[in-house]
C-alpha cells in the first residue's frame, strides 16, 4: 500500500464508524416506532439488542470506554490505538455520551496526527 493511502486509511475508518453510528442512532435508536415495538413482551427479535444499546448510553458505558481507550492511546504509541480511541469517541458522541466522546475523539485524533507525523519524519530522514 502506498504511503498516502496508508496514512488516509485510519481517517477513512473513523469517518465510516461515524456514518455507522449516525445510522445506528437515527435509524435504530431514535425512531419512536422502534421504541413502541419493543414496549411489550412480544417484541421483535432485535429488541434485546436495541435495549442493550440504550442501557449502554443510559449508564454512560460508551463514554467511559472511550475515555479509557483515549488514556491508553496517550501512553501506547500506535496508529491502531489512536484510531480506536477516535472511533470510540465518535460512537460515544453519537450515543449521548458527549463529554467522554469529545475527549476521546480529540485525544485520539491528535495522537493519530502525532504518530503519523513521527512515521513520516522517520521515512524522510532515513
Amino acid at each position: 500500500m502506498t504511503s498516502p493511502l496508508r496514512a488516509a486509511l485510519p481517517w477513512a475508518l473513523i469517518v465510516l464508524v461515524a456514518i455507522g453510528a449516525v445510522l445506528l442512532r437515527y435509524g435504530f435508536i431514535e425512531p419512536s416506532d422502534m421504541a413502541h415495538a419493543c414496549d411489550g413482551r412480544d417484541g421483535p427479535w432485535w429488541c434485546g439488542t436495541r435495549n442493550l444499546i440504550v442501557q449502554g448510553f443510559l449508564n454512560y458505558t460508551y463514554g467511559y470506554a472511550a475515555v479509557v481507550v483515549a488514556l491508553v492511546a496517550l501512553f501506547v504509541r500506535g496508529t491502531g490505538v489512536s484510531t480506536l480511541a477516535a472511533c470510540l469517541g465518535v460512537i460515544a458522541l453519537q450515543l449521548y455520551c458527549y463529554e467522554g466522546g469529545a475527549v476521546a475523539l480529540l485525544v485520539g485524533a491528535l495522537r493519530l496526527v502525532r504518530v503519523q507525523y513521527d512515521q513520516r519524519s522517520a521515512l524522510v530522514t532515513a
Side-chain angles (χ1 to χ4, degrees):
M1 200 177 330
T2 63
S3 182
L5 186 59
R6 179 174 283 152
L9 192 59
W11 299 103
L13 182 62
I14 294 168
V15 170
L16 288 174
V17 168
I19 291 169
V22 167
L23 292 174
L24 179 70
R25 177 178 173 177
Y26 293 109
F28 191 60
I29 302 300
E30 289 255 334
S32 59
D33 296 342
M34 299 288 223
H36 293 306
C38 295
D39 282 344
R41 290 190 181 268
D42 297 329
W45 61 270
W46 44 262
C47 283
T49 303
R50 184 185 180 282
N51 290 336
L52 189 64
I53 293 169
V54 169
Q55 286 301 315
F57 65 73
L58 289 177
N59 295 324
Y60 209 75
T61 305
Y62 308 119
Y64 294 141
V67 168
V68 166
V69 175
L71 287 173
V72 170
L74 285 175
F75 297 105
V76 176
R77 200 173 198 112
T79 306
V81 176
S82 302
T83 304
L84 181 61
C87 287
L88 286 177
V90 166
I91 291 170
L93 277 170
Q94 278 300 316
L95 295 179
Y96 309 103
C97 300
Y98 306 112
E99 296 89 0
V103 167
L105 178 60
L106 180 65
V107 168
L110 290 174
R111 195 68 175 147
L112 182 58
V113 167
R114 183 63 186 186
V115 168
Q116 287 182 336
Y117 176 78
D118 290 345
Q119 289 173 349
R120 179 79 174 174
S121 295
L123 288 175
V124 171
T125 58

